[in-house]
Amino acid sequence: MLKRIISGICLVAIAVPSLYFGGWLLYAVCLMVALIGNFELLRVTNLQKTPLGICAYAATIAYFISLNIAEHRYTTLILVLTFLVMMSVYVFTFPKYKAENVMWAFFGIIYVTVMIAYIYETRMSDNGIFIVWLIFIASWGNDTFAYFTGVCIGKHKMAPVLSPKKSVEGAIGGVIGATILGAVYGALVSSKMAGVIDNSSVAFAVASLAGALLSIVGDLAASAIKRNYNVKDYGTLIPGHGGIMDRFDSVIFTAPVVYWAIILLNSIGL
């Protein structure tokens, strides 16, 4: 537990200044998280040091570079080129790799790189300095409320095979708690969002609700992958937590949800 607490403090010490200052600091942190996350995911199937793995790392770097070029004009091109290169590796080294190896390596780019990049994209959007915190309010807020609700009144198992300790009551408590936190946070920054989002308290509550719901899926998805491959943790980089993928499993899903939820809610004038 002590290791977990110390690691948590270190993560917060890195996350807070990165999110606050944004720019190249957050860019570098997100890129590093994406690269390590890809490495951990590839290691599950022993692809981390193969040509397919190298393609994934190169694609991650290229994708992040594209985020600052011509308003994401080349992001789709990078994904297509990466797939073509991976398929070329597959056919010219056949039968060294199986089709599922290519699928797994490409899957990691979408699952980790593209999703993590939304943290940076959210921060660099209009008023992103206020919106980006909602990603973590929805994800970690949900985790915290779900834990305490589950401990207090949890009775019905939500996913007994994937995560025996998670309960339906805990999930409901987590989503409600994250939604309330989003509403309170929206009210606190409402003066900063004037002219951008008319009712930031409601918009942030809805975005946090959506983010919390998907964070549950993200958490269980990471667990499902580990169960499929009989892996306890994705890594040991963060003592007490496991690897990057163990700590960011829910954030990976929450980041794009919050990003697009705010855009869509703003477009309908909520």
Side-chain angles (χ1 to χ4, degrees):
M1 180 58 71
L2 180 60
K3 287 183 178 180
R4 188 177 181 86
I5 293 173
I6 294 174
S7 297
I9 293 173
C10 291
L11 285 173
V12 171
I14 295 173
V16 170
S18 299
L19 295 172
Y20 179 78
F21 291 108
W24 288 104
L25 176 60
L26 180 61
Y27 183 88
V29 170
C30 287
L31 174 57
M32 188 60 63
V33 168
L35 286 170
I36 296 173
N38 270 280
F39 176 83
E40 291 179 348
L41 198 65
L42 288 163
R43 186 166 53 189
V44 170
T45 53
N46 295 315
L47 292 172
Q48 73 275 19
K49 295 181 180 180
T50 65
L52 291 177
I54 293 173
C55 286
Y57 308 140
T60 295
I61 295 172
Y63 187 87
F64 267 79
I65 291 174
S66 74
L67 295 179
N68 292 316
I69 299 177
E71 299 181 352
H72 305 190
R73 184 177 178 180
Y74 299 104
T75 53
T76 302
L77 173 61
I78 288 170
L79 295 177
V80 171
L81 286 177
T82 300
F83 179 72
L84 293 176
V85 172
M86 286 184 172
M87 288 302 292
S88 298
V89 171
Y90 171 57
V91 298
F92 288 117
T93 61
F94 191 85
K96 184 176 182 180
Y97 301 108
K98 296 181 179 180
E100 51 263 37
N101 295 142
V102 179
M103 296 173 192
W104 184 261
F106 190 75
F107 163 72
I109 299 170
I110 305 298
Y111 180 37
V112 183
T113 303
V114 175
M115 304 287 261
I116 284 292
Y118 272 105
I119 297 175
Y120 174 73
E121 293 187 67
T122 301
R123 175 60 181 84
M124 301 312 292
S125 63
D126 293 337
N127 290 277
I129 190 173
F130 303 110
I131 300 173
V132 71
W133 302 100
L134 199 59
I135 294 173
F136 298 90
I137 288 174
S139 176
W140 293 349
N142 175 72
D143 289 346
T144 302
F145 278 98
Y147 173 78
F148 287 110
T149 304
V151 168
C152 294
I153 62 173
K155 293 182 179 180
H156 301 87
K157 301 297 183 182
M158 181 174 64
V161 176
L162 291 179
S163 189
K165 294 182 179 180
K166 285 184 169 57
S167 65
V168 174
E169 293 83 359
I172 294 173
V175 172
I176 293 175
T179 303
I180 293 173
L181 284 179
V184 172
Y185 177 64
L188 291 175
V189 300
S190 59
S191 62
K192 306 293 185 180
M193 303 299 292
V196 181
I197 298 178
D198 295 331
N199 195 333
S200 59
S201 183
V202 173
F204 278 30
V206 174
S208 189
L209 167 64
L213 287 171
L214 268 296
S215 75
I216 296 173
V217 178
D219 189 5
L220 292 175
S223 296
I225 292 172
K226 288 190 287 188
R227 295 290 187 280
N228 278 158
Y229 291 92
N230 296 314
V231 174
K232 183 180 183 297
D233 291 315
Y234 284 104
T236 58
L237 182 64
I238 311 173
H241 294 269
I244 285 291
M245 291 298 294
D246 295 294
R247 181 64 274 180
F248 284 82
D249 50 5
S250 58
V251 174
I252 283 175
F253 275 61
T254 306
V257 172
V258 168
Y259 176 87
W260 285 109
I262 291 297
I263 288 179
L264 293 174
L265 290 169
N266 192 30
S267 67
I268 64 176
L270 185 62

